[in-house]
Amino acid sequence: MARNIIDGKKVAELLRQQVRDDVREWVGRGNRPPMLQAILIGNDPASGTYVGAKTKACKEVGIESETVTFPDTMSVRELKEAIRTYNNDDSIDGILLQLPLPGHLHPSQVIETIDHRKDVDGFHPMNVGRLAVGQPTFRSCTPAGILELFRYYSVMTKGRHAVVVGASNIVGSPLAIMLSRENDSGKATTTLCHKYTRDLTRHIIQADILIVAVGSPGLITGQMVKEGVVVIDVGINRVSDSSRDKGYRLVGDCDFESVAEKASLITPVPGGVGPMTVAMLMKNTLLAAKKSIYPSDNM
Ligand code: GUN
């Protein structure tokens, strides 16, 4: 692997090993293994692949999991009903609702139904709110995984200028909170760019650390970034490629070749951020089982 490429697969593997050891210790103390309930709606192939990767990782670290697949015609009422059943089931520690949802199921409505103590994705407003005010919480997996990469590669964020492109609830917004907070591992001067940002390049060129989570292949090119920048590319885009068996290949939001030439560190796609998201989900599921964020006697 080239010197400046961040190996997310390797760091995720180390994290999963740590979770596996912790699960073993937890079970060795007489507890049942942690249990994750995954919910998949419809037959989006990418979502199916992600949930498959998550349940595979569960197995590897000793976490039990089950995936329920519902048709994309399901109503909001039916989905909320199913979630309430999982909320009330003491044998389930974590609930993962794979996004995106079909258009008629509004994520914010549904996510609030999930018991915040089982919200291993960290998407519930209770957990996002706690993140914003610096209280212990389930931190959403992709941003938390990015901070782990910074830790592993000794990327200093304190006092540096981080530019986040893309303000989604899953990545950009929680990441900007984490990076900017004084009492988190961030402490960076943080700029959050989104679809209304004027003159994107003017912001990006200033970044010491650039995180792109938009879903637009080739959005960022080498000309737009500063020499020595650390680049985290969260985009996972399928572009057609007849030379591949599957008929497509995965690319990020950066034009990899030109950006990598100027970056001091850069994540590849695939093998960068993706495996970290899965590893952080394992960590959150164990935290849920241990009731580490919300101890039962506080409820
Ligand atoms: N869709 C894209 N990323 C994620 C994620 O981290 N969690 C869930 N539940 N859905 C996603």
Side-chain angles (χ1 to χ4, degrees), residues 54 96-100 121 123 141-142 170 277:
K54 290 169 186 179
L96 170 111
L97 173 64
Q98 185 64 32
L99 303 178
D121 258 321
F123 293 163
C141 302
T142 303
I170 298 180
T277 300

Side-chain angles (χ1 to χ4, degrees), residues 23-33:
V23 167
R24 194 171 297 146
E25 201 236 352
W26 173 247
V27 172
R29 283 197 270 137
N31 300 291
R32 64 162 175 75

